[in-house]
Amino acid sequence: MKRRFLSILLAGCLAASLTACGGTKEESAAPADSGDSASGEPILLGTISPNTGNLAAYGTAIMNGVNLAVEEINAAGGVLGSQIQVINADDQGDPTECMNAFNSLVSQGVGLIIGSVTSSCTSAITDSANEEEVVLTSPSSTADSITTEDDYVFRACYADSFQGAIAAAYAKQAGYAKVGVVYCAADTYSKGLYDSFSAACEKYGVEVAAVESTASMDVQDYTNQFASMVNAGVELVYAPYYYDVIGPYLVTQARAASYTGIIMGADGYDGAPSYVVEGADLTAFNGVYWTNHYDPADESALVQNFVKAFQDKYGEIPMAMSALAYDCVYMYKTAMEAAGSADPAAVRDAMADNSLTYECVTGTFTLDESGTPVKGATIVFFASEGSEVTTTLVDVVKELPEA
């Protein structure tokens, strides 16, 4: 069933623009539907996130970012003369539950959704988003297959083909000629990163000397995998998993297995030190590198204003998930104002316009033909003297180096 009737519910008129994640176009244009006047009804914004389960920390981060952005926008007058109303659904980090969450939101008249977090969950609902003509913007699903040309699906993050290649380029530039991989063959995110890392290693002339896999993303024992890395004599291991195994299991077990080289991962490492088992040797995290979406120490006004507002509201420095979710809200605001309408079809058309620029916390960018941002990534590393684990910026990569 199509959702075009939502244009009645989601109509509004222009409000004052805000400083965070605003948008510009290379050429001015008339609103897509200038006759769309204020109805007084709220703009319904759905969110799908893992509020319970192993990845609940991501759900909290997503909702904190969304709620902060919505609070700011509503306090400044809303969008198109209407306030934004958030309806959240929990997918528990499970693709089947994600489909149930999507159907629940659609049944409540939601035509704009932020979600989900993991690539495996978001992959479960992209076809339905297109069939229902509901705009779906994922803050953090990096699998390349999430977005395709000419549909209703977008994202605020870069894709794994870029993220995995950055890790390979780093290995090359840092002089690591022999590397290994430990990944989950059954997970869209982990497998996608393995594929892009391996392909880029071949491009850059880096030998992938050992590959080990796990059957799921929540395995708690990585001893044998890293024993194989030691036997292969690799200098760097690419291990794309999430924080819930990186913190308590993978890193400390790798060191216990006598692997002393570099461990490198992706954005799923964000927040890992908070999940280290009490009493564990924190120095195990020295030499752990990973790619991420932003650096909270970035001195730009956009980043620092966001970090301060987040700290004032929640009492902590925002992780990348919060920044990406915050950006998703402002991306929708930018698109609605460009379209002059909150109708999902009009918003989709605005977001499909590659000349629309989003000025966001995680970068200033346009969307490519597939709906993926054209922007860079940060490389960071963990370090510890034993009492705590800190994060330090290594580099900001805007484009991949030549082979």
Side-chain angles (χ1 to χ4, degrees):
M1 179 177 63
K2 304 300 183 185
R3 312 304 298 180
R4 294 191 181 277
F5 73 88
L6 288 170
S7 61
I8 299 174
L9 176 64
L10 301 175
C13 61
L14 187 64
S17 64
L18 301 178
T19 57
C21 200
T24 58
K25 291 188 67 171
E26 294 176 1
E27 297 180 4
S28 61
D33 184 2
S34 59
D36 204 10
S37 59
S39 66
E41 296 287 347
I43 297 172
L44 300 183
L45 177 62
T47 62
I48 302 174
S49 53
N51 304 331
T52 57
N54 291 340
L55 300 179
Y58 284 163
T60 299
I62 292 295
M63 289 313 303
N64 285 349
V66 167
N67 288 336
L68 176 60
V70 169
E71 181 181 284
E72 291 174 352
I73 292 170
N74 285 344
V79 183
L80 305 177
S82 295
Q83 297 282 284
I84 298 175
Q85 178 183 332
V86 178
I87 303 176
N88 176 248
D90 179 13
D91 67 11
Q92 304 172 37
D94 177 79
T96 299
E97 291 300 326
C98 189
M99 188 71 251
N100 293 337
F102 176 85
N103 289 335
S104 174
L105 291 176
V106 173
S107 72
Q108 296 175 73
V110 175
L112 307 175
I113 295 176
I114 293 173
S116 183
V117 172
T118 66
S119 294
S120 57
C121 282
T122 304
S123 295
I125 59 175
T126 53
D127 286 347
S128 294
N130 289 318
E131 290 170 5
E132 296 288 350
E133 297 184 356
V134 168
V135 186
L136 179 69
T137 302
S138 173
S140 54
S141 296
T142 51
D144 283 49
S145 58
I146 294 295
T147 61
T148 57
E149 191 171 352
D150 259 347
D151 63 10
Y152 275 72
V153 184
F154 305 88
R155 56 180 147 200
C157 56
Y158 44 63
D160 284 337
S161 55
F162 180 64
Q163 183 172 206
I166 286 176
Y170 170 79
K172 173 67 174 180
Q173 293 176 338
Y176 299 111
K178 191 175 183 181
V179 304
V181 180
V182 178
Y183 78 107
C184 176
D187 182 76
T188 303
Y189 170 78
S190 191
K191 175 66 162 56
L193 283 167
Y194 162 67
D195 289 342
S196 61
F197 176 77
S198 298
C201 281
E202 183 176 355
K203 170 184 174 182
Y204 293 125
V206 176
E207 179 189 359
V208 180
V211 178
E212 294 287 338
S213 64
T214 62
S216 71
M217 289 290 278
D218 56 3
V219 169
Q220 296 183 6
D221 188 353
Y222 298 84
T223 304
N224 290 338
Q225 285 83 357
F226 276 91
S228 295
M229 298 297 120
V230 173
N231 291 336
V234 301
E235 304 162 288
L236 178 150
V237 174
Y238 191 56
Y241 289 84
Y242 292 124
Y243 69 89
D244 61 326
V245 299
I246 296 303
Y249 308 118
L250 189 147
V251 171
T252 53
Q253 290 171 2
R255 302 311 186 200
S258 299
Y259 177 73
T260 59
I262 299 297
I263 298 173
M264 191 159 192
D267 53 335
Y269 281 36
D270 200 4
S274 297
Y275 291 82
V276 175
V277 175
E278 185 176 354
D281 180 8
L282 298 182
T283 62
F285 282 83
N286 290 322
V288 177
Y289 289 69
W290 46 293
T291 47
N292 205 12
H293 301 273
Y294 95 123
D295 175 18
D298 188 318
E299 296 181 355
S300 77
L302 260 176
V303 172
Q304 289 309 304
N305 288 342
F306 163 69
V307 171
K308 182 180 185 305
F310 194 95
Q311 285 184 294
D312 289 347
K313 185 173 178 63
Y314 301 112
E316 61 185 20
I317 295 176
M319 60 193 299
M321 288 289 178
S322 293
L324 290 166
Y326 180 91
D327 284 353
C328 281
V329 178
Y330 278 102
M331 287 172 69
Y332 275 139
K333 176 181 182 292
T334 296
M336 285 186 282
E337 290 179 342
S341 172
D343 171 62
V347 173
R348 178 265 167 208
D349 289 346
M351 295 184 75
D353 182 350
N354 305 131
S355 70
L356 187 61
T357 300
Y358 304 90
E359 297 173 359
C360 292
V361 171
T362 59
T364 297
F365 54 85
T366 57
L367 299 179
D368 67 15
E369 290 78 6
S370 77
T372 296
V374 180
K375 61 178 178 180
T378 62
I379 299 176
V380 294
F381 72 88
F382 291 128
S384 177
E385 296 179 352
S387 60
E388 64 176 344
V389 179
T390 59
T391 300
T392 302
L393 178 68
V394 177
D395 195 10
V396 177
V397 181
K398 295 188 182 296
E399 59 183 20
L400 292 170
E402 295 294 329

